[in-house]
Amino acid sequence: MAVYDGVVLLDAAGPMQVLHGSGGYRIRLASVDGRSVRTDIGVPLGVDLALDDVDGPVDTLLTPGYAHPDGDRPGEPYLNLLRDISHRARRVASVCTGALLLAEAGLLDGRRATTHWAACAELASRFPRVAVEPDAIYVRDGPVVTSAGVTAGIDLGLALVEEDHGPDLARAVAKYLVVFLQRPGGQSQFSVRGAVATPRHPALRRLLDSVAAEPAGEHTLASMAARAAVSERHLTRLFRREVGLTPGQYVERIRVEAAQVLLETGAAGVASVARSCGFGSDETMRRAFLQVLGTTPTAYRQRFHTSHAIPFST
């Protein structure tokens, strides 16, 4: 983790707590000069070494953010070292406004990314070669993962654990920390969308995003082919080659995951959830749940629904 004076404490602590809790990583903090740094709230943060002393291959290079818009941020020496280490890293990640530091180092050019909602406009305007996704909790584009603000670093950490060690360990860490494995929120965080490699075909990339953003929309093969300006046969080939699913399977899984969120966190009836997510009927959703999850919507809700009406102890 590349830290500096002014780094947001929770940007650093959140993902570190997750990664440490998984038991699957050796975490080292590095600053430009190898000295301790002062966080945004004045708490000092010890480091292990200087960035210039980071040698050999690195599994993950993680860049936490600074307080937006006027917090202290690192200068050119930090960016140069960040750029150098990134070439030896298997994966580069950022929390919050750390995405702007990655962009300044040229590491987000031509990629999709996100950052704190208050900094998305700045990221888009200053770095037009970055495709900003303001609604996402985190965005994975090839070997680069960026996350939204502050506590989204915890979501990022859980995503990295799931990617490296599987969902069971990530779920266990989330349960211990009393957080969502995948919090209810922007459609971009859905695991089926996050697990799909970024398609090379730009029309297909836009199509996947549109389905994830509006699960209940009209996503028949014919309508999707028309939106992508390709034939139905060619669209099916593109999906199989670049997504590993048929168009219908992808739409079904996106709708199932949208329904999971509503069943976990809302009070709407199963029939209402089915309509909201584009299934049309509860029986159609029931068949989709059995196909994708091996359980029914009612059984899923009974197992995973969380009530928000928890009284405080007095």
Side-chain angles (χ1 to χ4, degrees), residues 236-256:
T236 300
R237 284 198 298 266
L238 284 174
F239 261 87
R240 288 191 179 279
R241 185 179 71 217
E242 301 198 31
V243 180
L245 300 168
T246 67
Q249 288 171 332
Y250 178 79
V251 172
E252 181 181 67
R253 294 189 185 189
I254 287 290
R255 286 174 172 168
V256 165

Side-chain angles (χ1 to χ4, degrees), residues 53-268:
D53 292 332
V54 176
D55 56 1
V58 174
D59 181 80
T60 303
L61 172 63
L62 182 56
T63 306
Y66 54 87
H68 186 268
D70 300 320
D72 294 338
R73 64 182 74 185
E76 197 63 31
Y78 177 92
L79 299 177
N80 290 336
L81 290 165
L82 203 65
R83 193 180 300 114
D84 175 67
I85 298 172
S86 72
H87 297 315
R88 295 180 273 121
R90 177 178 70 90
R91 178 174 59 197
V92 176
S94 68
V95 181
C96 194
T97 49
L100 280 90
L101 301 178
L102 294 187
E104 287 185 47
L107 303 179
L108 295 184
D109 287 353
R111 296 191 182 278
R112 296 160 41 245
T114 195
T115 186
H116 192 290
W117 60 266
C120 282
E122 179 184 347
L123 180 61
S125 63
R126 288 181 57 198
F127 305 100
R129 296 187 62 187
V130 180
V132 180
E133 297 190 5
D135 186 48
I137 301 298
Y138 58 83
V139 173
R140 180 188 291 104
D141 191 330
V144 179
V145 192
T146 53
S147 70
V150 196
T151 61
I154 295 174
D155 300 82
L156 171 70
L158 289 168
L160 299 182
V161 172
E162 182 173 4
E163 180 179 292
D164 296 338
H165 302 288
D168 290 342
L169 181 57
R171 189 175 298 110
V173 175
K175 183 177 180 180
Y176 183 80
L177 296 178
V178 200
V179 296
F180 288 107
L181 177 58
Q182 289 183 334
R183 74 169 82 186
Q187 302 290 340
S188 306
Q189 70 177 317
F190 283 152
S191 62
V192 64
R193 183 66 182 93
V196 172
T198 303
R200 294 187 299 274
H201 197 290
L204 182 57
R205 192 160 55 240
R206 290 192 297 271
L207 197 58
L208 297 187
D209 290 340
S210 71
V211 174
E214 190 180 2
E218 183 182 357
H219 304 307
T220 63
L221 178 61
S223 66
M224 288 193 294
R227 296 205 302 273
V230 297
S231 69
E232 294 179 23
R233 179 176 295 181
H234 185 52
L235 182 64
T236 300
R237 284 198 298 266
L238 284 174
F239 261 87
R240 288 191 179 279
R241 185 179 71 217
E242 301 198 31
V243 180
L245 300 168
T246 67
Q249 288 171 332
Y250 178 79
V251 172
E252 181 181 67
R253 294 189 185 189
I254 287 290
R255 286 174 172 168
V256 165
E257 290 189 334
Q260 285 177 266
V261 172
L262 294 180
L263 291 169
E264 290 169 9
T265 61

